[in-house]
Short mmCIF file of all heavy atoms in Angstrom, two decimals:
data_model
loop_
_atom_site.label_atom_id
_atom_site.label_comp_id
_atom_site.label_asym_id
_atom_site.label_seq_id
_atom_site.Cartn_x
_atom_site.Cartn_y
_atom_site.Cartn_z
N LEU M 1125 120.47 60.85 123.97
CA LEU M 1125 120.41 59.58 124.69
C LEU M 1125 119.09 58.86 124.43
O LEU M 1125 118.06 59.50 124.18
CB LEU M 1125 120.57 59.83 126.19
CG LEU M 1125 121.84 60.58 126.62
CD1 LEU M 1125 121.84 60.81 128.13
CD2 LEU M 1125 123.09 59.82 126.20
N VAL M 1126 119.12 57.54 124.50
CA VAL M 1126 117.92 56.71 124.35
C VAL M 1126 117.88 55.75 125.54
O VAL M 1126 118.81 54.97 125.75
CB VAL M 1126 117.94 55.90 123.05
CG1 VAL M 1126 116.63 55.12 122.89
CG2 VAL M 1126 118.17 56.80 121.84
N ALA M 1127 116.80 55.83 126.33
CA ALA M 1127 116.59 54.91 127.45
C ALA M 1127 115.60 53.83 127.00
O ALA M 1127 114.55 54.15 126.42
CB ALA M 1127 116.05 55.66 128.66
N ARG M 1128 115.93 52.55 127.26
CA ARG M 1128 115.08 51.44 126.80
C ARG M 1128 114.79 50.48 127.95
O ARG M 1128 115.64 50.27 128.82
CB ARG M 1128 115.78 50.67 125.67
CG ARG M 1128 116.02 51.48 124.41
CD ARG M 1128 116.49 50.60 123.27
NE ARG M 1128 116.64 51.37 122.03
CZ ARG M 1128 117.79 51.70 121.50
NH1 ARG M 1128 118.92 51.33 122.08
NH2 ARG M 1128 117.85 52.39 120.38
N VAL M 1129 113.59 49.90 127.91
CA VAL M 1129 113.23 48.83 128.86
C VAL M 1129 112.59 47.69 128.07
O VAL M 1129 111.97 47.91 127.03
CB VAL M 1129 112.27 49.33 129.96
CG1 VAL M 1129 112.87 50.51 130.72
CG2 VAL M 1129 110.92 49.71 129.39
N ARG M 1130 112.76 46.47 128.60
CA ARG M 1130 112.17 45.28 127.96
C ARG M 1130 111.70 44.32 129.05
O ARG M 1130 112.45 44.01 129.98
CB ARG M 1130 113.20 44.59 127.06
CG ARG M 1130 112.73 43.28 126.43
CD ARG M 1130 113.75 42.76 125.43
NE ARG M 1130 115.08 42.66 126.01
CZ ARG M 1130 115.51 41.60 126.70
NH1 ARG M 1130 114.72 40.55 126.90
NH2 ARG M 1130 116.75 41.59 127.19
N VAL M 1131 110.45 43.89 128.95
CA VAL M 1131 109.88 42.96 129.93
C VAL M 1131 110.55 41.59 129.74
O VAL M 1131 110.53 41.02 128.64
CB VAL M 1131 108.35 42.84 129.77
CG1 VAL M 1131 107.79 41.83 130.77
CG2 VAL M 1131 107.69 44.21 129.96
N THR M 1132 111.13 41.07 130.83
CA THR M 1132 111.79 39.76 130.74
C THR M 1132 111.07 38.68 131.54
O THR M 1132 111.25 37.49 131.28
CB THR M 1132 113.25 39.86 131.23
OG1 THR M 1132 113.26 40.36 132.59
CG2 THR M 1132 114.06 40.80 130.34
N ALA M 1133 110.24 39.09 132.54
CA ALA M 1133 109.53 38.08 133.35
C ALA M 1133 108.37 38.72 134.08
O ALA M 1133 108.42 39.90 134.44
CB ALA M 1133 110.48 37.42 134.34
N LYS M 1134 107.30 37.92 134.28
CA LYS M 1134 106.16 38.31 135.12
C LYS M 1134 106.09 37.33 136.28
O LYS M 1134 106.32 36.13 136.11
CB LYS M 1134 104.87 38.29 134.31
CG LYS M 1134 104.84 39.30 133.16
CD LYS M 1134 103.57 39.15 132.31
CE LYS M 1134 102.32 39.48 133.12
NZ LYS M 1134 101.09 39.40 132.29
N HIS M 1135 105.74 37.84 137.46
CA HIS M 1135 105.73 37.02 138.67
C HIS M 1135 104.34 36.99 139.29
O HIS M 1135 103.54 37.93 139.12
CB HIS M 1135 106.76 37.55 139.67
CG HIS M 1135 108.12 37.78 139.06
ND1 HIS M 1135 108.95 36.76 138.69
CD2 HIS M 1135 108.76 38.94 138.73
CE1 HIS M 1135 110.07 37.27 138.18
NE2 HIS M 1135 109.98 38.60 138.19
N ASP M 1136 104.05 35.92 140.03
CA ASP M 1136 102.73 35.71 140.58
C ASP M 1136 102.30 36.80 141.56
O ASP M 1136 101.10 37.00 141.79
CB ASP M 1136 102.64 34.34 141.28
CG ASP M 1136 102.77 33.18 140.30
OD1 ASP M 1136 102.54 33.42 139.09
OD2 ASP M 1136 103.11 32.07 140.73
N ASP M 1137 103.24 37.50 142.17
CA ASP M 1137 102.90 38.53 143.15
C ASP M 1137 102.61 39.88 142.52
O ASP M 1137 102.51 40.90 143.22
CB ASP M 1137 104.02 38.66 144.19
CG ASP M 1137 105.35 39.08 143.57
OD1 ASP M 1137 105.42 39.18 142.33
OD2 ASP M 1137 106.30 39.31 144.33
N GLY M 1138 102.50 39.93 141.19
CA GLY M 1138 102.18 41.18 140.51
C GLY M 1138 103.39 42.02 140.16
O GLY M 1138 103.24 43.16 139.69
N THR M 1139 104.57 41.48 140.38
CA THR M 1139 105.78 42.21 140.01
C THR M 1139 106.26 41.78 138.63
O THR M 1139 105.91 40.70 138.13
CB THR M 1139 106.90 42.01 141.03
OG1 THR M 1139 107.21 40.61 141.12
CG2 THR M 1139 106.49 42.53 142.40
N VAL M 1140 107.06 42.65 138.04
CA VAL M 1140 107.58 42.42 136.68
C VAL M 1140 109.06 42.75 136.67
O VAL M 1140 109.50 43.73 137.28
CB VAL M 1140 106.84 43.32 135.66
CG1 VAL M 1140 107.41 43.12 134.26
CG2 VAL M 1140 105.35 43.04 135.67
N THR M 1141 109.83 41.92 136.00
CA THR M 1141 111.26 42.18 135.81
C THR M 1141 111.48 42.71 134.40
O THR M 1141 110.91 42.19 133.43
CB THR M 1141 112.09 40.90 136.01
OG1 THR M 1141 111.86 40.40 137.34
CG2 THR M 1141 113.57 41.18 135.84
N LEU M 1142 112.31 43.76 134.31
CA LEU M 1142 112.59 44.39 133.02
C LEU M 1142 114.09 44.59 132.86
O LEU M 1142 114.78 44.99 133.82
CB LEU M 1142 111.90 45.75 132.87
CG LEU M 1142 110.37 45.77 133.02
CD1 LEU M 1142 109.99 46.22 134.42
CD2 LEU M 1142 109.73 46.70 131.98
N ALA M 1143 114.60 44.30 131.68
CA ALA M 1143 115.97 44.68 131.34
C ALA M 1143 115.99 46.16 131.00
O ALA M 1143 115.09 46.66 130.32
CB ALA M 1143 116.47 43.86 130.15
N THR M 1144 116.98 46.89 131.50
CA THR M 1144 117.03 48.34 131.31
C THR M 1144 118.39 48.73 130.72
O THR M 1144 119.41 48.12 131.02
CB THR M 1144 116.83 49.07 132.65
OG1 THR M 1144 117.85 48.67 133.57
CG2 THR M 1144 115.47 48.74 133.24
N SER M 1145 118.37 49.77 129.89
CA SER M 1145 119.63 50.24 129.31
C SER M 1145 119.47 51.68 128.84
O SER M 1145 118.36 52.15 128.58
CB SER M 1145 120.06 49.36 128.12
OG SER M 1145 119.11 49.45 127.07
N VAL M 1146 120.60 52.38 128.76
CA VAL M 1146 120.66 53.72 128.17
C VAL M 1146 121.80 53.72 127.16
O VAL M 1146 122.90 53.25 127.46
CB VAL M 1146 120.89 54.81 129.23
CG1 VAL M 1146 121.00 56.17 128.56
CG2 VAL M 1146 119.74 54.82 130.25
N HIS M 1147 121.53 54.24 125.96
CA HIS M 1147 122.51 54.28 124.88
C HIS M 1147 122.72 55.71 124.44
O HIS M 1147 121.81 56.55 124.51
CB HIS M 1147 122.02 53.47 123.68
CG HIS M 1147 121.78 52.01 123.96
ND1 HIS M 1147 122.60 51.01 123.49
CD2 HIS M 1147 120.80 51.39 124.68
CE1 HIS M 1147 122.15 49.84 123.91
NE2 HIS M 1147 121.05 50.04 124.62
N ARG M 1148 123.91 56.00 123.95
CA ARG M 1148 124.13 57.23 123.21
C ARG M 1148 123.62 56.97 121.80
O ARG M 1148 124.00 56.00 121.15
CB ARG M 1148 125.62 57.59 123.18
CG ARG M 1148 125.90 58.94 122.52
CD ARG M 1148 127.39 59.30 122.53
NE ARG M 1148 127.83 59.70 123.86
CZ ARG M 1148 128.65 58.99 124.63
NH1 ARG M 1148 129.12 57.82 124.20
NH2 ARG M 1148 129.00 59.41 125.82
N GLU M 1149 122.71 57.83 121.33
CA GLU M 1149 122.03 57.54 120.06
C GLU M 1149 123.02 57.42 118.90
O GLU M 1149 122.91 56.51 118.08
CB GLU M 1149 120.99 58.63 119.76
CG GLU M 1149 120.12 58.29 118.57
CD GLU M 1149 118.95 59.24 118.41
OE1 GLU M 1149 119.07 60.41 118.81
OE2 GLU M 1149 117.91 58.81 117.89
N GLU M 1150 123.99 58.32 118.84
CA GLU M 1150 124.98 58.24 117.78
C GLU M 1150 125.92 57.07 118.06
O GLU M 1150 126.63 57.04 119.05
CB GLU M 1150 125.78 59.55 117.70
CG GLU M 1150 126.77 59.58 116.56
CD GLU M 1150 127.50 60.91 116.47
OE1 GLU M 1150 127.15 61.82 117.24
OE2 GLU M 1150 128.41 61.02 115.65
N GLY M 1151 125.92 56.09 117.20
CA GLY M 1151 126.78 54.94 117.36
C GLY M 1151 126.22 53.85 118.24
O GLY M 1151 126.83 52.79 118.40
N GLU M 1152 125.05 54.11 118.84
CA GLU M 1152 124.40 53.11 119.71
C GLU M 1152 125.34 52.58 120.80
O GLU M 1152 125.30 51.41 121.17
CB GLU M 1152 123.88 51.93 118.86
CG GLU M 1152 122.51 52.17 118.28
CD GLU M 1152 121.42 52.25 119.34
OE1 GLU M 1152 121.33 51.37 120.19
OE2 GLU M 1152 120.67 53.24 119.32
N GLU M 1153 126.19 53.44 121.35
CA GLU M 1153 127.08 53.03 122.43
C GLU M 1153 126.28 52.84 123.71
O GLU M 1153 125.55 53.74 124.14
CB GLU M 1153 128.17 54.08 122.65
CG GLU M 1153 129.11 53.75 123.79
CD GLU M 1153 130.06 54.89 124.11
OE1 GLU M 1153 130.03 55.90 123.37
OE2 GLU M 1153 130.81 54.77 125.09
N GLU M 1154 126.40 51.67 124.32
CA GLU M 1154 125.66 51.40 125.56
C GLU M 1154 126.40 52.04 126.73
O GLU M 1154 127.57 51.74 126.99
CB GLU M 1154 125.52 49.89 125.78
CG GLU M 1154 124.55 49.55 126.89
CD GLU M 1154 124.30 48.05 127.00
OE1 GLU M 1154 125.17 47.26 126.56
OE2 GLU M 1154 123.23 47.68 127.53
N LEU M 1155 125.70 52.93 127.43
CA LEU M 1155 126.30 53.63 128.56
C LEU M 1155 125.95 53.00 129.90
O LEU M 1155 126.68 53.15 130.88
CB LEU M 1155 125.84 55.10 128.57
CG LEU M 1155 126.12 55.90 127.30
CD1 LEU M 1155 125.54 57.30 127.43
CD2 LEU M 1155 127.61 55.96 127.00
N LEU M 1156 124.83 52.31 129.93
CA LEU M 1156 124.31 51.78 131.20
C LEU M 1156 123.45 50.57 130.89
O LEU M 1156 122.70 50.57 129.91
CB LEU M 1156 123.51 52.87 131.91
CG LEU M 1156 122.70 52.60 133.16
CD1 LEU M 1156 122.55 53.89 133.96
CD2 LEU M 1156 121.31 52.07 132.82
N ARG M 1157 123.55 49.53 131.72
CA ARG M 1157 122.60 48.42 131.63
C ARG M 1157 122.27 47.95 133.04
O ARG M 1157 123.03 48.18 133.98
CB ARG M 1157 123.17 47.27 130.79
CG ARG M 1157 124.24 46.45 131.45
CD ARG M 1157 124.45 45.12 130.73
NE ARG M 1157 125.08 45.30 129.44
CZ ARG M 1157 126.35 45.02 129.19
NH1 ARG M 1157 127.15 44.56 130.16
NH2 ARG M 1157 126.86 45.18 127.99
N GLY M 1158 121.13 47.31 133.16
CA GLY M 1158 120.74 46.82 134.48
C GLY M 1158 119.43 46.07 134.41
O GLY M 1158 118.96 45.68 133.33
N GLU M 1159 118.85 45.88 135.60
CA GLU M 1159 117.59 45.14 135.69
C GLU M 1159 116.72 45.79 136.75
O GLU M 1159 117.18 46.15 137.83
CB GLU M 1159 117.88 43.69 136.07
CG GLU M 1159 116.63 42.81 136.09
CD GLU M 1159 116.98 41.36 136.36
OE1 GLU M 1159 117.14 41.02 137.56
OE2 GLU M 1159 117.11 40.59 135.39
N ALA M 1160 115.44 45.95 136.41
CA ALA M 1160 114.49 46.56 137.33
C ALA M 1160 113.42 45.55 137.73
O ALA M 1160 112.99 44.73 136.90
CB ALA M 1160 113.82 47.77 136.66
N LEU M 1161 113.04 45.60 138.99
CA LEU M 1161 111.90 44.84 139.49
C LEU M 1161 110.87 45.86 139.96
O LEU M 1161 111.17 46.69 140.84
CB LEU M 1161 112.30 43.92 140.64
CG LEU M 1161 111.16 43.09 141.26
CD1 LEU M 1161 110.65 42.06 140.25
CD2 LEU M 1161 111.63 42.41 142.54
N VAL M 1162 109.68 45.83 139.36
CA VAL M 1162 108.65 46.82 139.69
C VAL M 1162 107.34 46.13 139.99
O VAL M 1162 107.09 44.99 139.53
CB VAL M 1162 108.44 47.83 138.54
CG1 VAL M 1162 109.74 48.54 138.19
CG2 VAL M 1162 107.86 47.16 137.31
N THR M 1163 106.52 46.80 140.77
CA THR M 1163 105.13 46.40 140.92
C THR M 1163 104.35 47.06 139.79
O THR M 1163 104.31 48.29 139.69
CB THR M 1163 104.56 46.84 142.27
OG1 THR M 1163 105.31 46.20 143.31
CG2 THR M 1163 103.09 46.46 142.39
N ALA M 1164 103.77 46.25 138.94
CA ALA M 1164 103.06 46.79 137.78
C ALA M 1164 101.68 47.28 138.19
O ALA M 1164 101.09 46.79 139.16
CB ALA M 1164 102.94 45.73 136.69
N PRO M 1165 101.14 48.26 137.49
CA PRO M 1165 99.79 48.75 137.83
C PRO M 1165 98.73 47.67 137.60
O PRO M 1165 98.83 46.87 136.65
CB PRO M 1165 99.60 49.93 136.87
CG PRO M 1165 100.57 49.73 135.77
CD PRO M 1165 101.72 49.00 136.35
N SER M 1166 97.74 47.65 138.46
CA SER M 1166 96.64 46.69 138.32
C SER M 1166 95.39 47.36 137.76
O SER M 1166 94.46 46.68 137.32
CB SER M 1166 96.31 46.06 139.69
OG SER M 1166 95.99 47.06 140.63
N THR M 1167 95.38 48.69 137.76
CA THR M 1167 94.21 49.45 137.28
C THR M 1167 94.55 50.16 135.98
O THR M 1167 95.61 50.80 135.86
CB THR M 1167 93.77 50.49 138.32
OG1 THR M 1167 93.49 49.83 139.55
CG2 THR M 1167 92.53 51.24 137.85
N LYS M 1168 93.67 50.06 135.01
CA LYS M 1168 93.88 50.71 133.72
C LYS M 1168 93.68 52.21 133.85
O LYS M 1168 92.70 52.68 134.44
CB LYS M 1168 92.90 50.15 132.68
CG LYS M 1168 93.17 50.61 131.26
CD LYS M 1168 94.45 50.00 130.74
CE LYS M 1168 94.69 50.34 129.27
NZ LYS M 1168 95.99 49.83 128.82
N LEU M 1169 94.65 52.98 133.31
CA LEU M 1169 94.56 54.43 133.37
C LEU M 1169 94.83 55.03 132.00
O LEU M 1169 95.77 54.63 131.30
CB LEU M 1169 95.58 55.00 134.36
CG LEU M 1169 95.33 54.77 135.85
CD1 LEU M 1169 96.52 55.26 136.65
CD2 LEU M 1169 94.07 55.49 136.29
N GLN M 1170 93.98 55.96 131.61
CA GLN M 1170 94.20 56.78 130.43
C GLN M 1170 94.17 58.22 130.90
O GLN M 1170 93.24 58.64 131.60
CB GLN M 1170 93.13 56.54 129.37
CG GLN M 1170 93.18 55.16 128.74
CD GLN M 1170 92.10 54.97 127.69
OE1 GLN M 1170 91.04 55.60 127.76
NE2 GLN M 1170 92.35 54.11 126.72
N TYR M 1171 95.18 58.97 130.53
CA TYR M 1171 95.27 60.33 131.07
C TYR M 1171 96.06 61.22 130.12
O TYR M 1171 96.83 60.74 129.29
CB TYR M 1171 95.95 60.32 132.44
CG TYR M 1171 97.38 59.82 132.41
CD1 TYR M 1171 98.45 60.71 132.39
CD2 TYR M 1171 97.67 58.45 132.39
CE1 TYR M 1171 99.75 60.27 132.34
CE2 TYR M 1171 98.97 57.99 132.35
CZ TYR M 1171 100.02 58.91 132.33
OH TYR M 1171 101.31 58.46 132.27
N GLU M 1172 95.82 62.51 130.25
CA GLU M 1172 96.59 63.49 129.49
C GLU M 1172 97.88 63.76 130.24
O GLU M 1172 97.88 63.95 131.45
CB GLU M 1172 95.80 64.80 129.33
CG GLU M 1172 94.59 64.71 128.43
CD GLU M 1172 94.98 64.47 126.97
OE1 GLU M 1172 96.06 64.94 126.55
OE2 GLU M 1172 94.20 63.81 126.25
N GLU M 1173 98.98 63.75 129.49
CA GLU M 1173 100.27 64.05 130.11
C GLU M 1173 100.22 65.43 130.74
O GLU M 1173 99.75 66.39 130.14
CB GLU M 1173 101.37 64.00 129.05
CG GLU M 1173 102.76 64.02 129.62
CD GLU M 1173 103.79 63.74 128.53
OE1 GLU M 1173 104.10 62.56 128.28
OE2 GLU M 1173 104.26 64.72 127.92
#
Side-chain angles (χ1 to χ4, degrees):
L1125 304 177
V1126 184
R1128 296 189 176 108
V1129 303
R1130 176 173 53 86
V1131 178
T1132 58
K1134 296 175 64 177
H1135 310 288
D1136 293 340
D1137 62 355
T1139 59
V1140 178
T1141 301
L1142 302 99
T1144 59
S1145 64
V1146 177
H1147 299 251
R1148 185 179 286 110
E1149 188 171 29
E1150 184 177 354
E1152 274 294 309
E1153 178 187 356
E1154 191 174 24
L1155 304 177
L1156 172 155
R1157 74 163 71 105
E1159 184 175 83
L1161 179 67
V1162 303
T1163 298
S1166 58
T1167 303
K1168 188 69 175 175
L1169 288 174
Q1170 292 180 333
Y1171 63 98
E1172 291 293 329
E1173 192 171 272

